[in-house]
Amino acid sequence: MKRITTEQLFQAWGRGQQHLPLHAGAARENFLARVSSFPRAEGRSTWVVPAWLVPAACAGFAVLAFMLIPGYLRPVDVLTESTATLKTGAVPLQGQEQITAPTAPQAFSKSAAMGAIAPEEDRAALPPVTTTPTVSDTREFLKIGYSASVRTRSVSKAGERVEVLVRGFGGRVDSASYSSESGYMSFVVPQDKFSQFRLALREAAGGERFVFEHTNSENFLGEKQGLEKEQVRTSEHLAELRTRLQSLASEHGAKVAALETEQRQNKLEQATVIEMERLHPEQATALEARLEVLRRSARVISGKLMAEQSSFSAQQSSLDAEVRAAEQTVRDLQGQTTELLEQVATVSGSVTLERIGLLSFLDAYAYLRWTLPAVLLLFGLFHFLRARRTSPFTV
Amino acid sequence: MTLTDEYELIRRVQAGDTAAAASLWDVMSPKLFGYLINTLRDQQVAEDVFQTTWLKVLEHIHEYSPRGTSISAWVFTIARNECRQHWRKQSTVEADISQALEPTVDTQPELHAQLLVERIMNELSEDDREILRLRYIADFTFTDIAKALHINVVAARVRVSRVLSRARAIANRNK
């Protein structure tokens, strides 16, 4: 005996239970006779939507929606790099400024121009500005550059918010310009407040979906090492100059003392000869000759003294000038070091503002370009499957 | 017949087309009467309710809209309301299930099956019986069952499945 399931049992039972009443014929006639006497639904439109119409319309609208809704560019990951060389990695938006490297401080330009490190004849051969950092030196002097592109419904309001943020974090707005469609602003903020500033900017913009960021950084260790080396060199050179100046002065003093001693001896001898000439007129000729020699010698000594003074003054002036130049170089290097540290301590940034339309704004939250067509297609499919359902009238 | 054809048929009935009305009657009457006789357990009462139901269908067919409810579910809703009205008048809530019905089958295996079903139905609750009647006599879809019982479609499926499980258990006990 064939086994049947409970469902088959009840299906057979149900079919078996379907039957007409005893007086079905009369009941049917009675029913049909009354059809014309009851209210009709004439004039009322019961137009039935064809099964294919709604799915086709949904598919059409889905395609239209996909084509017309602008694709919302998803924010790229924030790129943060710490390398010795610059890279730009952001997906560029239309109108977004390309990021350029933060410029290194112009080290040594003044000292190089002054050529104070080397003697005048060697001013063309100057030491290199930047050294290649050694591996053992793990110090970091990171200069961070930052750029962001903010999409907003109101450019001017967003710009004002960003300006308030920059100033609130101890920064400075360097330039700002806005129109109804776009805006641009450049600024600096302290590096120690930079991460907080970024968080606040994202929050003010309405979340990460409206902010495109790019961050790059460069280690100015090479420049710092270069500055340090030059500082050491310049200091050593300055010390050497000062030593030379001292030596010059002491040598000059010794020479002058010797010449003055010689001069005094000469004058004494002259006086002695003159006295002898007075006492011994008979030796006048010889003594006169001697006196002439002494006078000639005195003139030579005076000449030497003058020459020594002149030489000393010239050398002293030259060394003084070199010392002053070296001192200026030291001051310049200190200034450049300070400038470098100040540069590293701040983040140079820019924000580009771009107005987005309402659809793009909604798309940022709902991925509208994909979800709306998907919803329309699903609805169309659901309607199609439902409409294809067989009527209970099918026997 | 697809739903579109069904809606077209109804539209013609609403417009007073006698041929369309005849088609409607021919298709629905066996299911309707089979449901009524199983619910009311009385031939005469079932015929009365059957007539009253069709009269009410004619009275209100112009108000019927295909959206949401199938014509089958709509007609059976009228029939169920008529049953409730009948019981209210009789001061009862359901028919006496013990009243046996005339067998409607001829062959021995089919008779055996019908008796088995009757035995199962006797042991089921009225709610379970109603579900089986709607599902297998009235040929309701799960959507129609859900609308009739004011539950969602998933719950309707679950209920039918559970009723069949209970029926299976009863059938196994009675072997």
Side-chain angles (χ1 to χ4, degrees), chain A residues 290-366:
Chain A
R290 177 70 185 147
L291 198 61
E292 187 56 34
V293 167
L294 285 170
R295 283 179 183 149
R296 219 181 295 131
S297 177
R299 283 197 291 276
V300 166
I301 291 168
S302 293
K304 281 182 181 175
L305 262 172
M306 282 171 60
E308 176 55 29
Q309 287 287 6
S310 171
S311 168
F312 170 73
S313 295
Q315 287 182 61
Q316 191 187 45
S317 298
S318 171
L319 281 173
D320 277 343
E322 284 190 48
V323 164
R324 280 196 300 275
E327 284 171 346
Q328 182 61 44
T329 302
V330 166
R331 281 194 295 274
D332 287 343
L333 288 171
Q334 279 171 354
Q336 285 170 15
T337 301
T338 304
E339 192 185 313
L340 174 74
L341 292 175
E342 280 177 0
Q343 275 222 9
V344 164
T346 59
V347 173
S348 304
S350 67
V351 170
T352 307
L353 300 161
E354 192 182 326
R355 188 177 173 282
I356 57 169
L358 186 59
L359 269 179
S360 294
F361 184 76
L362 292 172
D363 185 46
Y365 285 100

Side-chain angles (χ1 to χ4, degrees), chain B residues 11-170:
Chain B
R11 192 193 64 78
R12 284 167 50 203
V13 172
Q14 288 172 330
D17 185 340
T18 312
S23 293
L24 185 70
W25 196 95
D26 292 338
V27 170
M28 291 216 62
S29 292
K31 297 177 191 177
L32 180 62
F33 187 73
Y35 170 81
L36 288 172
I37 194 79
N38 264 272
T39 305
L40 298 165
R41 314 298 282 186
D42 186 305
Q43 180 82 20
Q44 189 56 50
V45 172
E47 286 196 19
D48 290 342
V49 171
F50 179 79
Q51 298 249 27
T52 317
T53 300
W54 276 119
L55 280 174
K56 288 239 169 123
V57 166
L58 281 179
E59 263 178 54
H60 299 287
I61 189 72
H62 65 281
E63 296 168 4
Y64 170 75
S65 170
R67 279 183 284 275
T69 312
S70 67
I71 186 67
S72 179
W74 186 70
V75 170
F76 273 83
T77 302
I78 296 173
R80 292 172 82 223
N81 287 339
E82 290 301 312
C83 291
R84 274 194 281 273
Q85 279 198 10
H86 166 74
W87 286 324
R88 215 174 293 133
K89 284 178 196 166
Q90 302 293 318
S91 303
T92 56
V93 293
E94 59 185 58
D96 182 4
I97 190 65
S98 62
Q99 257 187 289
L101 293 173
E102 295 270 340
T104 54
V105 294
D106 302 321
T107 65
Q108 197 64 28
E110 286 171 342
L111 186 63
H112 176 75
Q114 189 169 337
L115 288 172
L116 176 60
V117 168
E118 290 290 324
R119 227 175 290 149
I120 293 170
M121 295 287 267
N122 282 341
E123 294 191 40
L124 290 172
S125 66
E126 177 52 30
D127 288 341
D128 289 350
R129 288 196 289 268
E130 179 67 3
I131 284 176
L132 292 172
R133 285 193 289 261
L134 290 174
R135 179 73 180 145
Y136 297 109
I137 302 180
D139 279 341
F140 268 24
T141 61
F142 290 112
T143 308
D144 292 335
I145 293 173
K147 285 224 168 68
L149 301 181
H150 305 292
I151 56 178
N152 65 53
V153 176
V154 173
R157 282 181 183 274
V158 168
R159 280 211 198 170
V160 169
S161 171
R162 283 180 183 164
V163 168
L164 287 175
S165 294
R166 285 194 276 274
R168 195 178 309 120
I170 296 166

Side-chain angles (χ1 to χ4, degrees), chain A residues 17-18 28 41 44 46 391, chain B residues 6 11 14 38 62 137:
Chain A
Q17 293 300 303
Q18 294 171 0
R28 190 176 187 274
R44 192 179 88 175
T46 51
S391 161
Chain B
E6 176 187 316
R11 192 193 64 78
Q14 288 172 330
N38 264 272
H62 65 281
I137 302 180

Side-chain angles (χ1 to χ4, degrees), chain A residues 220-274:
Chain A
F220 285 167
L221 178 61
E223 285 80 5
K224 185 68 168 65
Q225 283 181 340
L227 282 168
E228 286 168 352
K229 275 184 190 165
E230 283 307 312
Q231 274 176 329
V232 166
R233 276 184 57 178
T234 308
S235 300
E236 285 172 353
H237 181 64
L238 186 61
E240 187 199 327
L241 287 171
R242 285 178 177 149
T243 305
R244 277 168 61 187
L245 203 55
Q246 276 178 352
S247 301
L248 183 71
S250 56
E251 278 173 21
H252 169 72
K255 280 184 186 172
V256 164
L259 286 170
E260 282 177 347
T261 303
E262 209 177 319
Q263 202 174 47
R264 274 197 303 276
Q265 283 174 350
N266 183 287
K267 278 184 181 168
L268 199 61
E269 198 174 337
Q270 279 187 36
T272 305
V273 167
I274 290 169

